[in-house]
Amino acid sequence: MLKTYSSSFLLPKRLKLISLAARFDDHKSNMTTDGTIPGPRSQQPMLASQRAQASAQSQPSSDGDQKPQRGAIGAYFPLGYKEAATQWWTSISSRQAERNVLSLIPSLREADGAETSQGNHTAKNDPFGQRVWRSSMVQLSGKNRALNELSIHRTDEQVDDTLVMLHGYGAGLGFFYKNFEPLSRAKGWQLYALDMLGMGNSTRPPFKIKATNPKEKIAEAENWFIDALEEWRRVRKIEKFTLMGHSLGGYLAVSYALKYPGRLNKLILASPVGIPEDPWAVNADMPEPEESTMANEFTQDQESIANGRPAPGSDNNNFMRARDKKAAAAANPNSTTPPKRPLPSWLVWLWDANVSPFSIVRMTGPLGPRFVSGWTSRRFNHLPPDEKEALHTYSYSLFRQKGSGEYALPYILAPGAFARSPVINRIQDVGRQVVKPATGAKPAVRETGFPIVFMYGDNDWMDVAGGFAAEEKVKQGIVKALLNVTEEEKRREGGSAKVVIVSKAGHHLYIDNADEFNAYIRKEMEETRAQGLRERAMRS
């Protein structure tokens, strides 16, 4: 039989401290300029989005006037102690948080008919045809290995092409909520968004590295993810597909293309991590780098970026500088050094100790939502309030889960964003792998290239110079590949590379300027479909 006690006396010690801190916060916020406290407030506690707005209002205005300042800690973590403890205590499941984000998507309806009445109405009047989505857990071999999958297809249409979308580090498929409806307008396409193994709402098996050699450690960490992706492909019986990966998902998409040739029609890398080479990151005998533009992921104000006003002092790229970067990359494609920003020594220590940001979220308990608000308040402050709240809750629900795939990061990247096996040294081999080994009677069959698209925001902390350098590397590889090939192989050559800049966008370009991002992806999908139809016509 449960007993009830007075909460004012029997709260756990850490909750008492939080409660006292919250009261002190409220005490300070209620004080007038002369230090007195006004009468009781009738307002409800502010939501995370409202506190983020208050934080933004406390910063210097665009005309240089200084606005009222909040405390230094409050400016970075706008969610109050009281609200954080409430969110921690009443938090919903990560599954429900994902569904709440998916409910923001217009027109599409759930395949099992569990959509809302509003969803039913929009589906029936969908000008782009009936489209349904289905959420599934795809079981893989081994213990506790399954990928969370969102599939979207157009009903009563033949599917000829497939787009697979991979998220970035520690994220989940729900962050693509602004892309699913526009991209699913393309006829003849099936869309899949996946949570990578050990992240999002996929299962989280223990992450262990058995290799001792540094290069083997890198390969084992990459394989942990891409082997699961390949097994998923076989389960779904997909012959070839277009792969779009963001950030770490882009890096792993390159690794997948190299290990599993003959499976891709096109590779789209949205602000991919790990392209530039940094000598400290690949030489174990040298000290690790202590500075990186990755700090901008936690300091950039997306509202400013989305409105075309980068935050003062931020180390960003822009489209006007992109031309200079392209010229420099063309002159020396093997030497790209992105602009760097100091990375605190304590963060380097945590990185090397494999203490992820999500470990901190889990360790802080009731303070976890407040800690997460430091990122979500700036990352989503350009979005409507309901979307900001849904994404904050979704982010916290993912970040607090059991650690798994997140522990792969130090094996793949050095502190910051430099890869231990840089993509710039491998990109020319993408689309050039052996599909069928040589036999006594027949020579080896190789890939004859496919399009590679590098996409960046014009205020992306991931430096676009790496993309331009990779573009040049791919083009050089095409010239080399065509030197000693047959006329048939020349006719089948399909390799290409280009860099696309999305305006008014940062690292998360797919959500910062979703309309422009979706338009670029739709164009790539249309070109891929047209090429596929031509090839099928030639074979028939």
Side-chain angles (χ1 to χ4, degrees), residues 230-487:
E230 172 61 10
E231 189 174 352
W232 169 87
R233 182 199 66 80
R234 294 197 301 267
V235 170
R236 286 292 180 232
K237 299 179 181 179
I238 300 172
E239 186 63 25
K240 298 187 73 173
F241 60 98
T242 294
L243 181 58
M244 191 279 283
H246 171 252
S247 195
L248 180 63
Y251 173 94
L252 293 172
V254 172
S255 301
Y256 176 85
L258 291 170
K259 185 174 182 180
Y260 296 105
R263 298 305 179 192
L264 299 184
N265 292 315
K266 179 174 287 186
L267 190 59
I268 303 175
L269 308 176
S271 191
V273 73
I275 287 185
E277 180 177 14
D278 187 292
W280 290 351
V282 294
N283 189 337
D285 296 329
M286 297 185 69
E288 299 288 9
E290 294 187 358
E291 45 185 17
S292 169
T293 55
M294 190 177 185
N296 282 337
E297 174 67 11
F298 305 98
T299 60
Q300 279 187 335
D301 179 276
Q302 293 307 123
E303 186 173 23
S304 297
I305 291 174
N307 291 327
R309 301 191 306 273
S314 62
D315 185 13
N316 299 319
N317 303 302
N318 60 59
F319 183 71
M320 297 303 294
R321 286 166 47 202
R323 296 179 181 178
D324 296 334
K325 292 174 181 289
K326 182 175 183 180
N332 192 356
N334 294 316
S335 178
T336 60
T337 305
K340 297 180 179 181
R341 166 166 291 192
L343 195 67
S345 58
W346 60 266
L347 184 56
V348 175
W349 181 85
L350 290 174
W351 191 291
D352 289 337
N354 213 346
V355 178
S356 74
F358 316 116
S359 301
I360 300 175
V361 172
R362 292 188 289 268
M363 288 188 295
T364 52
L367 291 179
R370 179 173 165 87
F371 183 80
V372 173
S373 76
W375 179 71
T376 59
S377 62
R378 282 174 285 278
R379 175 81 285 285
F380 305 125
N381 64 355
H382 62 302
L383 299 173
D386 60 334
E387 297 183 28
K388 286 187 285 189
E389 289 303 316
L391 290 172
H392 168 76
T393 302
Y394 177 58
S395 300
Y396 174 61
S397 73
L398 297 183
F399 297 170
R400 70 182 301 195
Q401 290 191 53
K402 176 184 176 182
S404 178
E406 68 196 64
Y407 298 132
L409 196 66
Y411 295 97
I412 295 175
L413 303 179
F418 294 104
R420 300 187 188 275
S421 178
V423 171
I424 192 65
N425 297 333
R426 302 183 283 165
I427 193 66
Q428 71 277 3
D429 298 323
V430 172
R432 304 291 166 187
Q433 301 298 299
V434 174
V435 179
K436 293 182 180 180
T439 62
K442 296 181 180 180
V445 177
R446 287 182 173 272
E447 294 177 299
T448 53
F450 52 76
I452 305 175
V453 182
F454 302 88
M455 301 183 71
Y456 294 86
D458 64 347
N459 288 293
D460 204 322
W461 64 262
M462 201 67 70
D463 194 40
V464 69
F468 284 126
E471 177 190 20
E472 293 300 320
K473 268 299 213 40
V474 172
K475 291 179 177 178
Q476 291 175 13
I478 294 173
V479 172
K480 183 178 180 181
L482 293 175
L483 290 178
N484 299 299
V485 296
T486 65
E487 290 300 320

Side-chain angles (χ1 to χ4, degrees), residues 516-531:
E516 189 171 322
F517 176 85
N518 293 332
Y520 281 128
I521 300 294
R522 279 285 305 278
K523 184 174 182 293
E524 295 300 329
M525 294 169 70
E526 291 169 1
E527 292 177 358
T528 300
R529 179 165 173 77
Q531 177 63 27

